[in-house]
Amino acid sequence: MPETRKQRMPYDFNQQIIQEFRANRGKVGGPFEGARLLLLTTTGARSGVRHTVPLGYLHDEGGRMLVIASAGGAPHHPAWYHNVRADPHVTVETGVFTIEAEAAVLEGEERERLFARAVEADSGWAGYQAKSGRVLPVVALTPLSGSLPDFPEGEVLKAIHDGFRRELALIRADAAVSGPRVGAQLRVNCLAVCGGLRHHHTAESGQLFPHLRDRHPELDAVLDRLHAEHAVLDHLLDDLQKLLSAGPADLLTEVDRLVAQIENHLSYEERHLVPLLNALPPRHEDHLNVTRIPATSDDHAAVTATIRALVTRTPALAADVRPALAHTGGVPGQWVSAAGGSATEDGVTLYVHGGGFEHSQPTLEPLMACRLSQATRRPAFRVDQRLAPAHPYPAALDDVVAVYRSLLEQGVPADRIIVCGESSGGTLVLSALLALRQAGDPLPGAAVAVSPLTDLTLSSQSLDTNDGRDVINRRVAEHVTAQYLAGARADQAPQSPLHGDLHGLPPLLLVAGTAEVLLDDTRRFAAAASAAGVDVTLDLYEGMPHAFHASVMAQDPPPIALTFLRRLTDWVAETRAGGTRSR
């Protein structure tokens, strides 16, 4: 239940609002229809687990958002308030943007002034304070960085417009009840919305419109009109702010007129631009080497059936399992070679298994190592890293790094080592790259991560948009993340690879299925690494679930699994680690 002027509601009801908010891009129905809401995600002061709550909020000057720890008038502060006191780094979702922010508990005159402004806008806050018997804390959320949702570009534009429409509707509703005497909070709301619209229009005129002119000369007349309307709207926004400052008797009529003109502009823009923008490549893929591998429902069924069968009947391992080196840094594991050759001459594939940081499948994982050895044409070593919760972060990461360093000590050239992992193993692969680079170790020649969890704050949109399509869900991700981190920060590298400096990493092959909840973890990391100058190849398998490639372990793998192996083989041959050519 949002902490607006309503009584507190059960946890499950909160979850319903959160799901509706995310599914409808910030819009909710029922008793909260039209309310100004955000989702606030904090880190548990005691548990270290990330918690999300829906809250009512107020705009503030300078781009801040204000939330009040009312707890529905309860005598004790809500849990989220204690969390931000312990760790002020929070994530805010507005329905359009996901924002990393810094929370600050306001004190003294500033707190008194802003709480009074909130009460002026809604007297219910005063009622809550009187009922609670405590001074309600006012918390300011200052944005540090933000990201857009992973929608087609046209849908992003419409989502931004819908956010402005909701704000304009709230301003109109507040103006209708205020009469000529306009409150301070309404003026601040107008200032925030007008500033946001101006920023949006500046970005369109300076970036989006030139981009479209280059590709769609037939749009010149439309873009000319929209650009001209931006100048007109700029004056309209000034007029709206002046109206709310003066508070004339015909305030509502004038507000209606100005809001109608703004909405007409938004609708005209959407009518002409949304179809074109939706046809553009997703922003994550604009400068990436992306391949979308088609798959059918039959492929999905074959993968699912094959993986289920592997659990009950393990195929025979047809590979050389003799030790290839004297030691592996004190970390247990297993050498599997289906390709023959020498580790020091041909290189090594270092395989880091998945399992949510807490599970291992010792009878199946050698089969995966065998397939990777075949595809990469070199011996593979399966790392038997320590597992949570008995051994939380950084134990598993330390094991992967130790094995890698042992290979270097034994004379394996760094550029002939490929580090490969899936799921949590993919996370460990990417974390190891960051840890090794930070320590000054030579990096491997290439790395492969299949279905990795890269953002341990669990902020990726696909955790919700793909919920129900995948074999795992957000609750699974929350569980494994909490077990693994055990209090370590979710927004820092190397444990959360997306939050690290990605410059200087080796060539990466990142693989995901488009039906999996961690799809955006893969895409966001690919985009960030590519922006940092890393050679990234992103393979997206249409309709495939989390870690679909596990079906390669079967005696007779399904066709889509063989496609994965073939593409891995081709990619290795094109990288430095393949020893054939350099990029």
Side-chain angles (χ1 to χ4, degrees), residues 343 346-351 378-379 403-409 411-420 433 436 442-448 506-507 575-578:
D346 300 309
V348 170
T349 292
L350 190 59
Y351 168 52
R378 65 200 69 206
V403 173
Y404 176 80
R405 286 174 174 159
S406 79
L407 299 180
L408 301 183
E409 292 169 2
V412 181
D415 64 359
R416 294 195 179 184
I417 299 175
I418 301 172
V419 189
C420 182
L433 297 179
L436 289 165
L443 295 181
V448 181
T575 65
R576 292 188 182 92

Side-chain angles (χ1 to χ4, degrees), residues 122-137:
D122 189 336
S123 61
W125 294 114
Y128 271 161
Q129 181 157 276
K131 177 184 176 183
S132 70
R134 58 189 171 89
V135 175
L136 298 185

Side-chain angles (χ1 to χ4, degrees), residues 5 57-59 66-68 110-127 136-138 183-186 188-189:
R5 292 193 311 102
Y57 76 98
L58 304 166
H59 287 297
L66 305 176
V67 289
I68 299 176
E110 184 179 27
R111 184 265 168 203
E112 297 303 319
R113 173 173 54 85
L114 294 178
F115 186 75
R117 201 176 76 195
V119 170
E120 181 187 35
D122 189 336
S123 61
W125 294 114
L136 298 185
V138 178
Q185 185 59 47
L186 176 53
V188 171
N189 290 343

Side-chain angles (χ1 to χ4, degrees), residues 24 34 37 56 59 75 87 107 152 282 284 287 322 443-444 485 487 544:
N24 297 325
L37 301 179
H59 287 297
D87 184 349
E107 305 286 350
H284 291 309
H287 302 292
R322 292 175 297 177
L443 295 181
L485 290 176
M544 287 293 107

Side-chain angles (χ1 to χ4, degrees), residues 71-252:
H76 303 293
H77 296 317
W80 68 260
Y81 172 74
H82 295 292
N83 292 347
V84 300
R85 292 296 299 267
D87 184 349
H89 188 89
V90 300
T91 301
V92 177
E93 297 170 58
T94 69
V96 180
F97 297 96
T98 298
I99 301 166
E100 299 303 312
E102 194 79 9
V105 179
L106 303 183
E107 305 286 350
E109 185 279 332
E110 184 179 27
R111 184 265 168 203
E112 297 303 319
R113 173 173 54 85
L114 294 178
F115 186 75
R117 201 176 76 195
V119 170
E120 181 187 35
D122 189 336
S123 61
W125 294 114
Y128 271 161
Q129 181 157 276
K131 177 184 176 183
S132 70
R134 58 189 171 89
V135 175
L136 298 185
V138 178
V139 179
L141 308 174
T142 301
L144 302 176
S145 63
S147 60
L148 288 166
D150 186 43
F151 302 145
E153 297 294 332
E155 296 308 307
V156 169
L157 179 68
K158 191 171 186 311
I160 292 172
H161 284 183
D162 286 344
F164 285 131
R165 288 185 175 104
R166 285 196 296 272
E167 288 290 343
L168 290 169
L170 286 169
I171 287 173
R172 189 210 175 278
D174 289 341
V177 299
S178 66
R181 184 177 178 276
V182 176
Q185 185 59 47
L186 176 53
R187 290 194 294 271
V188 171
N189 290 343
C190 181
L191 182 66
V193 174
C194 292
L197 269 167
R198 283 195 176 95
H199 178 76
H200 174 62
H201 289 157
T202 299
E204 285 186 327
S205 292
Q207 301 172 25
L208 176 62
F209 291 176
H211 175 80
L212 291 175
R213 284 185 195 275
D214 290 343
R215 291 158 179 78
H216 297 279
E218 75 278 7
L219 282 181
D220 278 350
V222 171
L223 296 176
D224 286 343
R225 170 176 165 173
L226 289 172
H227 183 71
E229 285 188 4
H230 284 177
V232 173
L233 285 171
D234 200 46
H235 292 298
L236 292 178
L237 296 174
D238 283 337
D239 291 345
L240 182 57
Q241 289 179 251
K242 291 175 183 176
L243 276 173
L244 294 177
S245 296
D250 61 346
L251 173 66
L252 186 57

